[in-house]
Amino acid sequence: MAAKRWKVIALSCCKGYHTQAYQKELELRKKIGLIDPDVILITVEDPDIRVGSGGATINTILVVAEHLSSLAGYTVVNSDVLNNADILILLMGKGYVFDPCGRAFATIPAMFNGPHPITGSKTENIACNIDFLIYTLTNTICPNSPPGVWVCSTDMLLNFSAEIAIGTVFSKDWKGVSLITVPASIEYATLHGACQVSNDGAIDNIFYQSSSDNLKSCLFNDHQVPLVSGLLFLCPDTATRLLHFHVKPPIDACTYMGIDSGSQPIKLSLFFDILLPMANCVSRENFVSGNRSGSYGNTGDNYNQLLPEDKASMENVRSVLYDELHQIQIRSVLISEGSHSYMSMDIATHYQNQILNCPLNNGVNNGNNFHWQRRIHCNSKSECKIPSESVIINSSIDSMVDIGKNCIVTHCILKSNLKIGSGCILSGFLPEELEVDRITTEPVILPEESVLLNFIISIGDNVSRRITTVYGLHDNLMLSTNDEKSRFCNNPWSEFYKRTGIDSLDLWQQHLPQSARCLFNAKLYPIFNHNQKIETEDILWLLGSHDSVEALEKWRSSWRLSLEDIMRMIDVAAVFDYRRKLYLEIGEKNIEHALLDGDDMCFLPFFQSCVAEEYYNVLDTLDRVACETKSFAVASRCLASIADVLGTMAVSRGGLRSGPAANKSFKQAFRLLEEGKISDGVVVMARERKNWLNRPDRTVRLARHYEGAEQILIRQAVLTAQKFITTISQELPEINKVWVLASSGARVDLAGGWSDTPPITYEHGGVVVNAAVKIDGKRPIGAKARRIAEPIIKLVLIGVKNTITVRCTDMADLEDYNKPHAPGALLKAAFLCAEIISFNSSIPLKQQLLEKYSSGFELHSWAYLPQGSGLGTSSILAGAIMACLFTVSGRKCDNSSIVHSVLYLEQMLTTGGGWQDQVGGLVKGVKISRSPAKLPLKVNITELDVKESFITKLDKRLLLIYTGKTRLAKNLLQDVIRGWYAKLPEVLPNVHNLTSNAEESAKAFLDGNLEKVGNCLNEYWRQKKKMAPGCEPALVTKIMSALKPYSYGQSLAGAGGGGFMYLITKQENFIEDVKTIISKIEGTTDVVVYRGTVDCDGLTISYKQFDD
């Protein structure tokens, strides 16, 4: 089902100076891709801290309507803009001690991963509650709903079974409010709200923190009631009714327009002032009197202290609310498999349980967008002791840190000699904040079940300070100290007073009633001392680390704050900045370690975050690692990663990633890399990089050149294959009199292709099964060469339609050897690869030829197959040419040497490519070839001892079909190498599967099992499509579908994208039937079907006398 496309997502928050910080966070999520890029994001400041959730909702609807009215060209607020808009309002609510950014942005033990809505690339972010809520609403609850306004609290962890929630039906004709409810026990509901629901789903009553006896009337089964989840849907008519309150006194006093008009703010609860009067069985008298109102109830100290005129004002407000809202229908929509977990901050054990056993870890996360782990974006030394039961989020942990079981560490950098007891909670610490200023080798010990929270607070005039708080896991922050269960640091207050010398007057002002005194408002935590710096020991002293009269005196003379004070002074923007900076720095460290350790970590999601935040230090880190490493593989991946960062910067505005990479601006850097001076080359590249970042198109071109630089290093690695090229001197053929001829069949790849491609082949290891084949009984690829008297190089390219002759009389004629489309480029590169001439020599071409050979050379080549056939033509032709050139220049070599020489040749030609093509065509029959995951690069070829009868059986069934579509493999190759270096999760396991499938294919040939050979071929084609998505053209899909019932297996040849496909038919001699089947498919006029037979000769070299 399609996700809900929100018009507006609005966040209501009570503190104006936090609004900009929250807006920035939401916008960041849009840039990263967590929120649809077309959504309008609005962060709305509550007009007063006293307006409540109901007032905040009405005010936010007003602000959203005003914004949409302006966009629509209206000059006044027009309610029509609500009629067809999908709007989501999120209510921030009160502060949250366990996360200074609030419950909405409280981190949860999950990483969000998903495709970017514009680029499709992977994106990630440490998940917060708001991310889970938005994802849940967008993808499960709301897609079926008509236009309207959804309102959701953010003070709970709300989860639904995806399968059940998606089936929720919202009628377009429904006029009123749909209140989402979830099953809950009566015991749980006594702390929250529950609905009494009639048989038709209408809500008769809503009870808030009611008694168990009252809640029994709400039971819908033997033990559960429909709990008010904090989520509801307003149809456009109802949203419009609430919008109109902004011009209706006294309710207008909960909107900014009312406040700006001079009204005194009023407080309204969304559920018990706005929704309650809609319930069927709530009478006007009960509601107006305040008996049922959540915010304006007629009991409690606050109510009794009100003046008579204030009470009368309240009743007037409720009268208007009841008269305006009672006729609106309200119904319960029960999600039978849903859960609600309120984010209480009274006792830390609630928070601990919600993180260690997160109730969100089921349901919608089955879509694999949320990855639940106990290590979320952390960097820790291998020596560090972290039990599996503990959760670490966005933190860097040094080897000197010992963490106990069931601990929670979030947003910390821990470096000192530190021993953290079991069950502790730590958040927001820098290294120096847990260091003790004394000469000792003993670790700083944090007692078990301690809670240490570090906050960044604003103390005025744009000045921020960090402050540390401590208390116990089992302490109830809100419980009066009069209660015998009240604790501090898990011990009775009396013990704390006795140990420290502190008394109650140090903590609470004398006029504060005893019943109101609690840990939350105790002024325990020093932030500033006129004479001495506040040290770690001053905080640990509160935990009982040591007794000291000096500590008490320092504590008493310090400016101290309570948790309540701290929550009012939080600098949310500074906290967000600290967390994001830490996230990016940890990401950099993880990338560096992954590069040096060879880990298969995908960097792209992190790069997406770096670009979204314009954090480009990661480029410097990649430069540094590339400069310092001695490994080709590491340096290559660094350059590829820089290209990925640059590609991410350009998004889709700069053009395609693949393209030319030979701009003269990079000539110096490329030359240094070619010379093996990696560090110098990287430095020059980085210097030039600064000149290319001003426009997306230039940034993409820069990315291409970094991939060009990466290819140079791959070329250096492949160059090590030269070690396995051996030749033996023999007599030079007579000038003009003798032609050396080399001929070969094509090849069909049967399993394992792509694993032979550098760098995959020397980083992972490659295994390929393929066969040399004749096409309609012919060997279509060949070359011939001879010595000629004139000291030049004459090249003759024989094509199907025409012949091209190229004369090279000086070195300048060879300069385009590395441009694949230049006439004779392959042949020119072959002369260099065979070392017949040296391109870097200052000696002229003619002199080189005369000094070494007393002659020139004439070389002819042919391949009677279309370009981009997929049958390995270019590599096999390269092998035939190399065989000719070695022989005509007086050297003899075996097939293995030729295979390795082609590897080198194709790197010189810049077409890249692996070794399976030349192995397939040059080595006879069916074979399995393997390359170990190491350098120097070596290919070990094993000819399979396949029974002759089985080859005959295969020959009668093997058909090659030219599809009429061509595609240069280089573009596909660049995509595959890009995916390999990026360590895409869809690529890595597929490479392993390619090699294991090749081993299975070889076994099937040895067993003579044609059906299994076909199954391996089908599996191979599926694997190739994963390696290079889009390599199956639509016409090929049609042909394959039509032929599937008649074949054991089929695949496009080589990289795919066009060229030839081949299949093994179930019946012998089925070629005419195949032609008939294909002829019935539209668009197949250019399709040609050939017979394929296994070439049992491979590369052949012969001599032919030539008389003038």
Side-chain angles (χ1 to χ4, degrees):
M1 176 176 294
K4 173 66 76 175
R5 298 296 300 271
W6 301 108
K7 178 74 172 179
V8 177
I9 295 179
L11 179 67
S12 166
C13 58
C14 61
K15 291 186 178 180
Y17 58 88
H18 292 170
T19 303
Q20 188 174 354
Y22 291 131
Q23 180 75 25
K24 181 179 177 181
E25 278 297 301
L26 292 177
E27 294 290 351
L28 179 62
R29 281 161 167 73
K30 183 192 282 192
K31 290 173 70 175
I32 293 174
L34 274 65
I35 295 176
D36 190 279
D38 296 327
V39 174
I40 299 170
L41 297 174
I42 305 175
T43 307
V44 182
E45 177 190 358
D46 291 348
D48 190 273
I49 60 173
R50 294 165 290 178
V51 299
S53 59
T57 301
I58 294 171
N59 183 68
T60 303
I61 291 174
L62 166 62
V63 173
V64 169
E66 188 175 9
H67 189 95
L68 294 179
S69 296
S70 177
L71 290 177
Y74 298 114
T75 57
V76 295
V77 177
N78 190 321
S79 61
D80 290 347
V81 297
L82 301 178
N83 289 338
N84 295 301
D86 290 295
I87 297 167
L88 173 61
I89 294 175
L90 300 165
L91 305 176
M92 275 293 295
K94 299 177 181 178
Y96 187 51
V97 71
F98 300 111
D99 199 301
C101 298
R103 290 176 171 89
F105 290 92
T107 49
I108 56 177
M111 185 70 82
F112 178 89
N113 291 100
H116 193 283
I118 295 177
T119 64
S121 60
K122 294 289 184 181
T123 185
E124 72 174 18
N125 199 52
I126 298 172
C128 296
N129 184 32
I130 195 170
D131 301 319
F132 194 89
L133 283 171
I134 292 175
Y135 181 86
T136 302
L137 300 180
T138 302
N139 294 282
T140 61
I141 294 292
C142 304
N144 281 326
S145 69
V149 178
W150 282 88
V151 183
C152 186
S153 299
T154 60
D155 57 2
M156 71 292 183
L157 301 177
L158 191 61
N159 195 15
F160 305 103
S161 162
E163 293 78 9
I164 300 297
I166 286 174
T168 305
V169 177
F170 295 88
S171 171
K172 293 182 179 179
D173 299 326
W174 171 257
K175 304 294 183 183
V177 177
S178 297
L179 183 60
I180 307 301
T181 57
V182 295
S185 67
I186 286 182
E187 180 183 9
Y188 185 80
T190 57
L191 302 173
H192 305 286
C195 299
Q196 187 182 78
V197 183
S198 62
N199 293 334
D200 63 357
I203 294 178
D204 291 332
N205 220 324
I206 304 175
F207 296 99
Y208 174 63
Q209 294 187 347
S210 191
S211 66
S212 298
D213 290 339
N214 279 345
L215 292 176
K216 288 179 181 178
S217 64
C218 300
L219 287 169
F220 66 88
N221 57 31
D222 291 341
H223 59 282
Q224 290 179 310
V225 298
L227 188 83
V228 175
S229 70
L231 174 63
L232 59 98
F233 173 70
L234 308 173
C235 76
D237 287 351
T238 302
T240 298
R241 184 75 64 91
L242 297 184
L243 171 63
H244 287 164
F245 279 142
H246 84 277
V247 292
K248 194 171 188 67
I251 313 300
D252 66 330
C254 69
T255 70
Y256 88 88
M257 284 193 177
I259 301 296
D260 286 356
S261 299
S263 300
Q264 288 296 314
I266 60 170
K267 183 178 182 180
L268 300 178
S269 162
L270 174 60
F271 295 95
F272 306 105
D273 290 319
I274 304 298
L275 301 185
L276 184 63
M278 301 178 190
N280 291 335
C281 297
V282 174
S283 69
R284 191 178 196 282
E285 180 181 355
N286 266 347
F287 180 74
V288 172
S289 66
N291 288 336
R292 303 297 312 284
S293 174
S295 300
Y296 287 148
N298 62 2
T299 59
D301 293 339
N302 291 338
Y303 184 85
N304 293 329
Q305 294 170 9
L306 293 175
L307 298 173
E309 56 268 27
D310 292 328
K311 295 179 182 179
S313 176
M314 291 179 184
E315 292 182 359
N316 182 35
V317 170
R318 287 193 288 269
S319 296
V320 175
L321 288 171
Y322 193 89
D323 293 342
E324 291 288 333
L325 302 176
H326 186 62
Q327 299 304 315
I328 297 176
Q329 299 179 73
I330 183 170
R331 64 166 182 166
S332 165
V333 177
L334 178 69
I335 309 295
S336 59
E337 293 187 21
S339 67
H340 176 285
S341 180
Y342 181 70
M343 300 172 74
S344 170
M345 69 176 193
D346 291 0
I347 304 177
T349 50
H350 295 158
Y351 168 77
Q352 184 189 49
N353 186 59
Q354 286 177 334
I355 297 299
L356 296 182
N357 307 290
C358 189
L360 302 180
N361 190 5
N362 57 67
V364 299
N365 53 292
N366 292 335
N368 293 325
N369 288 93
F370 289 88
H371 296 271
W372 301 89
Q373 303 165 346
R374 291 187 175 267
R375 304 287 179 275
I376 302 294
H377 197 74
C378 65
N379 178 269
S380 58
K381 302 290 185 182
S382 57
E383 306 87 355
C384 179
K385 300 175 183 178
I386 305 178
S388 59
E389 300 91 340
S390 294
V391 170
I392 314 295
I393 302 175
N394 196 36
S395 296
S396 179
I397 315 293
D398 206 1
S399 58
M400 298 287 285
V401 179
D402 185 356
I403 298 177
K405 294 182 179 181
N406 298 316
C407 288
I408 300 169
V409 178
T410 62
H411 312 292
C412 288
I413 305 174
L414 304 181
K415 288 187 177 181
S416 56
N417 192 3
L418 184 63
K419 184 177 180 61
I420 302 171
S422 298
C424 285
I425 298 172
L426 279 79
S427 180
F429 283 93
L430 294 174
E432 60 271 16
E433 290 163 335
L434 287 173
E435 290 179 351
V436 176
D437 188 21
R438 60 174 184 260
I439 301 175
T440 178
T441 58
E442 295 298 315
V444 174
I445 297 176
L446 304 183
E448 292 186 356
E449 300 186 331
S450 297
V451 179
L452 291 88
L453 307 175
N454 193 280
F455 298 90
I456 304 176
I457 61 174
S458 174
I459 57 175
D461 296 328
N462 296 316
V463 176
S464 293
R465 284 286 186 94
R466 301 179 68 92
I467 184 171
T468 298
T469 65
V470 296
Y471 59 98
L473 187 70
H474 302 284
D475 300 348
N476 189 323
L477 299 183
M478 303 302 177
L479 189 64
S480 170
T481 54
N482 283 347
D483 193 307
E484 62 181 13
K485 295 180 181 178
S486 184
R487 295 284 189 274
F488 178 63
C489 294
N490 301 318
N491 293 307
W493 281 98
S494 57
E495 291 187 14
F496 172 70
Y497 295 151
K498 182 178 180 181
R499 175 176 59 81
T500 61
I502 293 173
D503 62 43
S504 62
L505 293 179
D506 291 320
L507 301 175
W508 297 280
Q509 293 183 354
Q510 190 170 2
H511 65 79
L512 188 68
Q514 288 286 341
S515 60
R517 298 179 182 183
C518 61
L519 174 53
F520 188 62
N521 55 27
K523 293 188 180 296
L524 277 160
Y525 308 112
I527 185 172
F528 178 75
N529 189 287
H530 283 287
N531 300 315
Q532 303 175 66
K533 180 183 177 182
I534 302 298
E535 305 281 359
T536 300
E537 288 181 312
D538 300 320
I539 305 302
L540 298 181
W541 172 69
L542 294 174
L543 278 174
S545 62
H546 62 285
D547 295 329
S548 167
V549 174
E550 293 80 7
L552 175 61
E553 292 176 353
K554 182 178 179 181
W555 180 86
R556 278 187 168 145
S557 63
S558 298
W559 174 28
R560 303 187 309 278
L561 301 175
S562 65
L563 275 168
E564 184 177 36
D565 297 327
I566 292 169
M567 296 307 294
R568 284 196 296 261
M569 301 167 69
I570 296 292
D571 189 339
V572 171
V575 176
F576 277 135
D577 288 344
Y578 162 74
R579 291 183 177 183
R580 298 304 299 182
K581 183 171 183 274
L582 180 57
Y583 171 82
L584 295 166
E585 290 175 351
I586 290 173
E588 276 189 275
K589 289 182 182 178
N590 288 340
I591 283 177
E592 182 174 353
H593 293 163
L595 287 167
L596 296 175
D597 297 340
D599 290 347
D600 291 335
M601 172 184 171
C602 181
F603 302 155
L604 292 181
F606 178 71
F607 291 161
Q608 192 82 42
S609 296
C610 290
V611 171
E613 302 203 43
E614 299 182 0
Y615 182 85
Y616 301 126
N617 287 11
V618 67
L619 293 173
D620 299 330
T621 297
L622 294 168
D623 287 336
R624 178 171 51 77
V625 175
C627 288
E628 293 174 357
T629 185
K630 302 298 182 183
S631 165
F632 281 124
V634 173
S636 298
R637 192 179 176 195
C638 287
L639 295 174
S641 296
I642 293 173
D644 283 335
V645 175
L646 298 171
T648 304
M649 290 169 63
V651 196
S652 56
R653 298 169 296 165
L656 299 175
R657 280 285 297 274
S658 298
N663 189 285
K664 292 181 180 179
S665 299
F666 298 92
K667 187 174 182 179
Q668 181 190 5
F670 284 8
R671 178 179 55 77
L672 290 167
L673 294 174
E674 292 279 11
E675 294 172 355
K677 299 175 181 178
I678 296 176
S679 179
D680 294 340
V682 170
V683 170
V684 173
M685 287 284 290
R687 189 185 308 136
E688 180 61 27
R689 183 172 67 216
K690 298 175 183 178
N691 302 323
W692 290 75
L693 300 176
N694 56 334
R695 292 200 319 262
D697 61 318
R698 287 177 61 82
T699 303
V700 166
R701 290 165 61 194
L702 175 61
R704 293 172 185 166
H705 283 81
Y706 266 96
E707 288 185 339
E710 154 216 315
Q711 285 293 329
I712 292 173
L713 297 189
I714 292 175
R715 187 153 60 245
Q716 299 293 321
V718 174
L719 182 64
T720 61
Q722 281 185 306
K723 181 177 181 180
F724 306 107
I725 302 173
T726 56
T727 60
I728 301 173
S729 296
Q730 61 180 13
E731 187 177 350
L732 284 167
E734 190 176 352
I735 295 176
N736 290 331
K737 297 293 185 180
V738 179
W739 282 100
V740 177
L741 282 81
S743 65
S744 176
R747 73 95 184 90
V748 290
D749 50 317
L750 300 164
W754 284 125
S755 73
D756 66 302
T757 303
I760 299 172
T761 190
Y762 58 77
E763 292 184 6
H764 174 274
V767 183
V768 178
V769 172
N770 53 22
V773 294
K774 298 177 183 178
I775 301 174
D776 278 352
K778 299 177 182 178
R779 293 153 60 85
I781 302 168
K784 66 178 184 179
R786 67 172 178 170
R787 295 170 66 210
I788 58 177
E790 187 179 4
I792 65 168
I793 293 175
K794 182 180 179 182
L795 309 174
V796 180
L797 287 70
I798 303 170
V800 177
K801 296 181 180 180
N802 59 357
T803 297
I804 300 173
T805 300
V806 178
R807 290 172 57 86
C808 301
T809 58
D810 56 43
M811 298 303 292
D813 295 328
L814 297 167
E815 282 185 346
D816 56 357
Y817 73 89
N818 58 359
K819 296 178 174 56
H821 296 292
L826 172 61
L827 284 66
K828 294 175 184 178
F831 274 94
L832 300 175
C833 182
E835 298 181 344
I836 291 176
I837 57 173
S838 173
F839 190 73
N840 295 324
S841 173
S842 60
I843 301 174
L845 174 63
K846 291 182 179 182
Q847 187 177 343
Q848 288 192 49
L849 291 171
L850 290 172
E851 287 179 357
K852 292 181 68 175
Y853 304 104
S854 302
S855 68
F857 292 94
E858 182 176 346
L859 173 63
H860 296 211
S861 68
W862 59 88
Y864 298 123
L865 290 169
Q867 184 181 16
S869 68
L871 297 178
T873 307
S874 60
S875 297
I876 298 169
L877 178 59
I881 292 170
M882 291 300 295
C884 274
L885 292 181
F886 279 136
T887 305
V888 80
S889 61
R891 289 170 287 176
K892 184 179 180 180
C893 62
D894 58 13
N895 279 346
S896 176
S897 293
I898 294 175
V899 165
H900 287 90
S901 69
V902 173
L903 267 172
Y904 177 45
L905 169 59
E906 292 192 327
Q907 293 299 324
M908 292 181 62
L909 192 62
T910 72
T911 54
W915 43 256
Q916 71 121 330
D917 292 347
Q918 58 266 35
V919 169
L922 302 176
V923 181
K924 66 182 181 179
V926 183
K927 51 267 167 191
I928 183 169
S929 307
R930 302 176 178 90
S931 62
K934 64 179 182 179
L935 292 175
L937 173 56
K938 183 180 183 182
V939 184
N940 300 305
I941 306 167
T942 303
E943 296 178 18
L944 295 177
D945 186 16
V946 183
K947 294 179 181 178
E948 186 176 342
S949 60
F950 186 73
I951 295 296
T952 302
K953 186 178 181 181
L954 177 62
D955 285 346
K956 293 178 179 180
R957 291 169 170 81
L958 180 61
L959 297 178
L960 281 71
I961 303 171
Y962 181 61
T963 64
K965 305 286 185 183
T966 62
R967 184 172 180 182
L968 184 64
K970 182 177 179 181
N971 290 336
L972 283 175
L973 176 63
Q974 287 178 327
D975 290 340
V976 169
I977 294 176
R978 196 175 293 137
W980 171 256
Y981 274 133
K983 305 301 177 186
L984 296 179
E986 59 268 30
V987 169
L988 297 181
N990 197 46
V991 170
H992 174 74
N993 293 337
L994 280 165
T995 56
S996 60
N997 184 56
E999 298 288 355
E1000 289 295 315
S1001 178
K1003 186 175 183 298
F1005 272 102
L1006 293 174
D1007 293 342
N1009 189 335
L1010 192 59
E1011 184 175 355
K1012 188 175 179 182
V1013 168
N1015 290 338
C1016 290
L1017 181 59
N1018 286 330
E1019 178 61 23
Y1020 176 41
W1021 178 234
R1022 286 189 287 268
Q1023 292 166 349
K1024 284 204 281 189
K1025 288 191 288 186
K1026 288 182 181 178
M1027 290 298 288
C1031 67
E1032 182 179 285
L1035 179 61
V1036 172
T1037 302
K1038 293 178 182 178
I1039 295 173
M1040 285 186 166
S1041 298
L1043 295 176
K1044 184 177 181 181
Y1046 310 101
S1047 68
Y1048 284 124
Q1050 54 186 337
S1051 172
L1052 269 177
F1060 277 82
M1061 63 171 282
Y1062 43 87
L1063 72 155
I1064 303 170
T1065 61
K1066 294 178 179 178
Q1067 297 181 35
E1068 296 180 358
N1069 304 314
F1070 202 60
I1071 185 170
E1072 295 304 323
D1073 299 84
V1074 167
K1075 289 179 179 179
T1076 301
I1077 293 168
I1078 291 175
S1079 67
K1080 297 177 181 179
I1081 300 172
E1082 185 180 355
T1084 57
T1085 54
D1086 294 331
V1087 173
V1088 184
V1089 184
Y1090 302 89
R1091 289 184 184 276
T1093 52
V1094 176
D1095 181 0
C1096 295
D1097 296 318
L1099 174 69
T1100 60
I1101 300 174
S1102 61
Y1103 296 89
K1104 182 179 179 181
Q1105 293 292 328
F1106 180 81
D1107 296 322
D1108 290 334

